[in-house]
Amino acid sequence: VTVIGRRLVPSDHEVRDYLTRSAQPFEWLDADTPEAVELLRERGTPDAELPVVVDGEEVIAAATPRGLIAAWLHEQVPSQGCYDIAIVGAGPAGLAAAVYASSDGLSTLLLERDLPGGQASHTSLIENFFGFPEGIGGAELARMAGRQAESFGTELLIGRGVRGHRDEPNGTFTLDLGDGYAVSARAIVAAPGMEWRRLDVEGLDGLRDRGVYYGAGRSETTQCAGDPVVVIGAGNSAGQAVMSLAQAGARVTMLVRGDSLTKSMSGYLVDRIEAHSSIDVRLRTRLTAIDADDVGLTAVTARSDDGASERVPARALFLCLGGTPRTAWAEASRVRLDRQGFILTGPDLLDEGRRPADWQLPRDPLALETSVPGIFAAGDVRHGSAKRVAGAVGDGAMAVALVHRRLAELVDGA
Ligand SMILES: Cc1cc2nc3c(=O)[nH]c(=O)nc-3n(C[C@H](O)[C@H](O)[C@H](O)COP(=O)(O)OP(=O)(O)OC[C@H]3O[C@@H](n4cnc5c(N)ncnc54)[C@H](O)[C@@H]3O)c2cc1C
């Protein structure tokens, strides 16, 4: 696959980001290079609207992620009316649940509104995931997990989100998939993960994907060689972004609100950042303004806690600010949340040993079960979860073991 586009145009970035996060190898050609012009001429489409994806003989002009899904994966709709288990979200938690559910013989539907991998698809190297001593790219891990789930019989629908659901009197659920599609399931595993936290600075949104990127900007890294760039954040995702940018040859300034990196970042990353000569860490500092020209970002202004402001040159700004759980749907569904919006499950639902008032079954909620029998929560969205890939995978596997118990109950008429 070859992509022809313009580096700082948001629609072109979107396609590059989509391919990177789906672990689809591709070659990038800047639109005004002789190679790009020659390739389009050869294919008989010299004036094709950018961005253009060339896949063998096929030319997809004005490409978008949705257009690529339609061209490559065809219509994403369920093949059955009812499944044993519907999994919402194909991040690490949902993918693991799908692998275990389908390998156990359950009819399994995995629904992903974007593309598999979730947050992990944004990271170029996960170094602390069990079994990969050299590390593994998040998108690559997700691609293999998706293939594994499908090989066991999971139906994986990409670009097809869940809009809502309703409880049925017989204990099952109907999920609304949009565009008039609905599907039933005997149990649901909710694994919708987290949404990036936004920063409220004037002009930032206008430069989004044109020099300002939420997340580690994996698809941008190689384009930043030789450039000054700024990363904001102090968690592992910020640490990984800083390291991969510096390794690609960028000069990186890291802005951190707190007074230390060690509070929120793994020790191995802190050590590498401190040892790297192209990384400048500014503690107790926050972003107050950005500057841009016609092309894109030129600089940011950072203010430290002692009141001093400094203008830092920057061609790209990466915001790795962590996130908030995707649970806006929960209240209407009677799924209980903690104060921060994470889903309460199992023992966390009990109040001094008492079950929730509207809980109807003659047993306590199972370990990862929400306040609605038959709906389970897995991964980052769950109160008390580890916020790690391995934790999410563990949750996904455990949720399936508990789903079996719920399905047995349904057979017994509970
Ligand atoms: C840049 C970065 C680097 C990281 N590095 C590491 C690391 O090195 N090691 C580590 O252990 N952890 C790391 N993490 C954390 C790790 O990625 C997360 O803990 C993990 O991805 C959580 O998995 P999850 O499945 O719970 O949720 P997510 O990964 O957030 O996935 C949720 C998925 O659900 C989908 N979804 C949401 N709503 C719907 C809906 N209504 N319908 C259908 N689909 C929906 C989303 O599109 C998404 O794909 C990193 C995170 C980031 C952002």
Side-chain angles (χ1 to χ4, degrees):
V1 169
T2 304
V3 184
I4 300 170
R6 300 140 297 185
R7 180 182 164 197
L8 291 172
V9 172
S11 57
D12 302 21
H13 160 79
E14 226 187 309
V15 167
R16 194 166 62 222
D17 179 62
Y18 171 79
L19 293 173
T20 306
R21 291 198 297 115
S22 35
Q24 168 61 53
F26 67 94
E27 185 186 2
W28 170 264
L29 293 179
D30 270 319
D32 47 10
T33 56
E35 297 96 305
V37 173
E38 177 57 22
L39 182 59
L40 289 179
R41 200 189 53 74
E42 259 176 31
R43 291 291 186 281
T45 53
D47 300 320
E49 192 180 335
L50 298 172
V52 177
V53 172
V54 182
D55 177 15
E57 290 309 307
E58 191 184 6
V59 174
I60 303 169
T64 59
R66 197 146 288 282
L68 294 177
I69 289 172
W72 287 341
L73 301 170
H74 307 294
E75 207 184 9
Q76 293 280 291
V77 292
S79 69
Q80 301 179 32
C82 185
Y83 293 79
D84 289 325
I85 176 171
I87 302 163
V88 184
L95 285 164
V99 168
Y100 291 105
S102 50
S103 65
D104 284 354
L106 300 180
S107 57
T108 306
L109 180 64
L110 174 56
L111 297 147
E112 171 53 56
R113 64 177 192 175
D114 179 31
L115 51 82
Q119 296 165 67
S121 71
H122 293 270
T123 176
S124 55
L125 198 64
I126 301 168
E127 292 190 70
N128 56 358
F129 186 61
F130 173 86
F132 291 91
E134 311 300 329
I136 177 154
E140 288 71 18
L141 182 67
R143 191 165 175 140
M144 290 195 290
R147 270 178 34 206
Q148 192 177 14
E150 286 183 312
S151 74
F152 282 122
T154 292
E155 222 174 280
L156 165 58
L157 303 191
I158 295 173
R160 173 72 66 196
V162 176
R163 307 278 177 89
H165 70 269
R166 63 168 194 273
D167 304 357
E168 299 296 347
N170 63 358
T172 65
F173 304 95
T174 301
L175 292 91
D176 172 7
L177 309 185
D179 303 329
Y181 292 105
V183 70
S184 302
R186 297 181 181 88
I188 294 177
V189 173
M194 313 259 283
E195 193 86 64
W196 302 114
R197 194 166 286 134
R198 304 255 169 255
L199 204 59
D200 193 16
V201 169
E202 202 183 328
L204 209 61
D205 284 344
L207 283 181
R208 184 152 177 213
D209 298 340
R210 229 164 38 89
V212 173
Y213 305 95
Y214 280 93
R218 182 178 176 182
S219 61
E220 298 312 303
T221 307
T222 50
Q223 316 263 339
C224 291
D227 286 349
V229 303
V230 170
V231 175
I232 302 184
N236 279 348
S237 60
Q240 286 171 355
V242 163
M243 280 312 300
S244 60
L245 285 159
Q247 280 159 355
R251 299 188 305 285
V252 191
T253 304
M254 188 174 192
L255 304 183
V256 178
R257 236 173 8 169
D259 58 4
S260 143
L261 284 181
T262 49
K263 285 183 190 153
S264 47
M265 195 182 292
S266 297
Y268 74 93
L269 279 170
V270 177
D271 293 345
R272 285 184 208 168
I273 287 170
E274 285 173 355
H276 205 294
S277 58
S278 310
I279 302 173
D280 178 12
V281 181
R282 313 276 179 91
L283 299 173
R284 293 183 290 272
T285 304
R286 50 189 84 205
L287 180 84
T288 54
I290 57 171
D291 291 335
D293 60 15
D294 291 347
V295 182
L297 188 74
T298 53
V300 308
T301 303
R303 194 176 63 222
S304 68
D305 281 358
D306 61 15
S309 276
E310 188 189 351
R311 197 167 171 276
V312 182
R315 292 307 297 183
L317 170 64
F318 298 92
L319 304 165
C320 303
L321 306 170
T324 48
R326 287 198 186 97
T327 48
W329 53 274
E331 208 178 340
S333 319
R334 294 178 295 110
V335 167
R336 294 204 182 172
L337 306 176
D338 69 10
R339 284 208 189 123
Q340 283 77 41
F342 291 93
I343 298 178
L344 290 166
T345 56
D348 293 327
L349 285 163
L350 303 181
D351 181 8
E352 294 180 356
R354 285 194 307 276
R355 296 170 188 152
D358 50 355
W359 181 261
Q360 312 241 316
L361 298 181
R363 61 156 174 83
D364 287 352
L366 302 172
L368 299 185
E369 199 171 26
T370 68
S371 49
V372 178
I375 302 185
F376 297 79
D380 279 12
V381 78
R382 184 176 66 77
H383 167 88
S385 63
K387 312 288 181 287
R388 289 275 188 274
V389 175
V393 168
D395 268 15
M398 183 168 164
V400 171
L402 300 166
V403 162
H404 281 291
R405 288 174 58 183
R406 174 63 189 156
L407 294 180
E409 243 172 26
L410 283 180
V411 171
D412 295 342

